[in-house]
Amino acid sequence: MLDLLADPWRFDLTRRAMLAVIAVSMGCGVLGVLVVWRGLSFIGDALAHCAVPGVVVGFLTRTSFEAWGVVSALLAAWGMALLARRGWLGGDASIAIVFTSAFALGLAMISATGSYLNDLTEILFGNPLAAGPVDIALSALVALWVVGVVVLLYRPLVFASFDPTAARVAGLPVGLLDAALYGLIALAVVAGVAVVGSVLVTALLIVPPAAARLLARRVWTQMAVSAGLGGLAGVLGLYASYYLRLATGGSVVLAAVALFLAALLVSPRGVLRGWARRRTPRPALAGR
Amino acid sequence: MTDAPHPAAPGTGLVIQDLSVAYDHRLVLDGVSVACAHGEILGLLGPNGAGKSTLLKAIVGLVPRAGGSIGLDGMPLGRGGAPSTRLAYVPQRHEVDWDFPLTVEDVVLLGRQGRLGLLGRPGKADRQAAHAALERLGMGPQRRALIGELSGGQQQRVFLARALAQEGDVLLLDEPLTGVDATTQAIVLDLLADLRSRGLATVLATHDLAEAARVCDRLCLLNGRVMAFGPPHEVLTTDALVRTYGSSGIGLNRDLGEEVTRATLGPALPHDAGPAGHPEHEAAPAGRHPHRRTGR
Ligand SMILES: Nc1ncnc2c1ncn2[C@@H]1O[C@H](COP(=O)(O)OP(=O)(O)OP(=O)(O)O)[C@@H](O)[C@H]1O
Ligand SMILES: [Mg+2]
């Protein structure tokens, strides 16, 4: 049994993948709590697509496509923040407009250059096993940075997310805080793309926080639980992928979903409690 | 010394001069000049759409001004002026997500963040201020509840507590008495009296003429422009009310008759503990201005 658990850790390749997946899913877990409460659930998906033009530039210029991906995702994220902030558009419409135009641009660039990207599947579905030492270090750094900034700016970020008007009146730089949050999301997304691919990166940002919402009451406890669940999903997913030969992205996300379903069962407002409650007599009307 | 309603001496309290505000080029406030000294409650009255909320938003900088000036103790408000943390503001409607996983205590503690800045963390003094504010509004027992678990009136009290915890010296309240029960109303009115005696300048938008006449030191009848500004008994004339509310204003001061008389004869709130520390309670004799504060 211990051997089974230790086995994947014996190889450089899988050990690295393990660390990258854990770091990135924990970072996404922390950030995701704010993402979900801001009603930005689809931003992960959108920003992953927004990284495409950058990635194409990276391919064409034979330079780092992670770096270019970060640049284009950041620009897109700030574009979304700006559109939403000025009150021109709602948050969802801002995301949709920026994301479709960035993705269209990426597709146009691919077709114009006529180069078929062999590695496109890697972009779409991620491949942590292809991660080199530099990628690992980068992902870990990004995850650390994301968590660090969220911890450092915790209250202002929460304030600006919960009640932006009051935060503004209190003299907090709400625009800057939004830019910081969207920027962190862009970073986390690009790091996540390397691990689970652009199609599934949203899951890292959304599923663990959704599970945490069922298990914890307050923002920071939800962040802690979400980080834990994210990390756990990473580990479980990698083991599954190692032993069952599944695509890593898919198995990590499935593990996260399994944890979410478990949370649904055991949560204080969950299925089991609801079932138990129905079998006990109804409480009398609470007195004032 | 005159008995005329004193325009606040320059340099004391909140002074708004010739303020204009436009939304998309439509002028909503036109040349508004009002003032609210420390230790004074100013009531903003006017029909729906009169610009009461807009005036409060302009003071805290949520809407840009088209002209005019707003000063606090002689310092202009806005960029480079007096720090905005001195202004505590409670909006008319709270456009927040009530399901947000924050406890009552968390929300009130956010009221300290303006002082603490981006990187500051609340310390003991901040927690004490938050607790005191919650107790003051009778929300102590619910402080660990999630805000989504409260009733509407309780939620309103939490936001008042947040403003209170900020410990600013100007309080801007947009219809704090609307939609709350008698208990909450009593708590809020008691609080206002208390804050006045501690020298806060309070601006209160309300639709309750009778309550305003009782509680406020001065009233401003607003409808795009200032229709009348002064102590209640001077402001609540048929003429001014009709100018503000149109023909529906005709009966208003007759309905108010009793209250206005009471306000004229002796305010419900004690004036004796004002910032000037004037000790004797005014049993205002008829004809004498009841709201004049001596010693200033
Ligand atoms: N964001 C906005 N954009 C455009 N016009 C606005 C906006 N907010 C308010 N207005 C207009 O400004 C005018 C004043 O509105 P305001 O909210 O200040 O009135 P009010 O006196 O607070 O009314 P109420 O008693 O209903 O709260 C109204 O005619 C309203 O239509
Ligand atoms: Mg209003």
Side-chain angles (χ1 to χ4, degrees), chain B residues 47-54 56-57 92-93 174-175 205 207:
Chain B
N48 290 141
K52 303 180 294 293
S53 299
T54 301
L56 295 178
K57 286 180 190 168
Q92 183 171 3
R93 278 180 301 147
D174 202 344
E175 301 200 17
H207 285 291

Side-chain angles (χ1 to χ4, degrees), chain A residues 112-272:
Chain A
T113 55
S115 63
Y116 176 71
L117 295 177
N118 241 344
D119 305 274
L120 199 62
T121 47
E122 216 165 86
I123 301 176
L124 288 178
F125 300 109
N127 184 6
L129 293 174
V134 180
D135 297 327
I136 300 301
L138 268 180
S139 303
L141 225 75
V142 164
L144 210 67
W145 170 255
V146 167
V147 175
V149 174
V150 170
V151 169
L152 204 66
L153 295 178
Y154 173 73
R155 280 167 194 285
L157 281 174
V158 168
F159 201 175
S161 302
F162 169 63
D163 194 347
T165 310
R168 225 175 111 196
V169 172
L172 293 176
V174 174
L176 221 61
L177 286 165
D178 276 358
L181 181 67
Y182 278 72
L184 292 178
I185 298 172
L187 283 177
V189 162
V190 175
V193 168
V195 176
V196 295
S198 63
V199 177
L200 292 177
V201 68
T202 298
L204 285 191
L205 277 172
I206 303 310
V207 180
R213 177 177 177 172
L214 295 168
L215 299 174
R217 270 162 60 90
R218 298 170 69 179
V219 178
W220 68 270
T221 47
Q222 288 187 3
M223 282 180 174
V225 171
S226 174
L229 291 178
L232 189 60
V235 174
L236 294 177
L238 271 186
Y239 276 117
S241 131
Y242 184 82
Y243 285 111
L244 306 176
R245 297 173 188 286
L246 305 174
T248 321
S251 59
V252 169
V253 171
L254 284 178
V257 171
L259 291 174
F260 170 76
L261 291 176
L264 210 53
L265 277 180
V266 303
S267 126
R269 282 161 294 157
V271 177
L272 287 184

Side-chain angles (χ1 to χ4, degrees), chain A residues 155 159, chain B residues 103-114 116 122-123 125-131 134 162 165:
Chain A
R155 280 167 194 285
F159 201 175
Chain B
T103 63
V104 166
E105 205 168 14
D106 291 335
V107 171
V108 176
L109 212 45
L110 287 179
R112 304 291 292 181
Q113 204 59 42
L116 293 167
D126 301 300
R127 285 176 201 286
Q128 272 168 359
H131 282 183
L134 276 173
R162 183 176 72 185

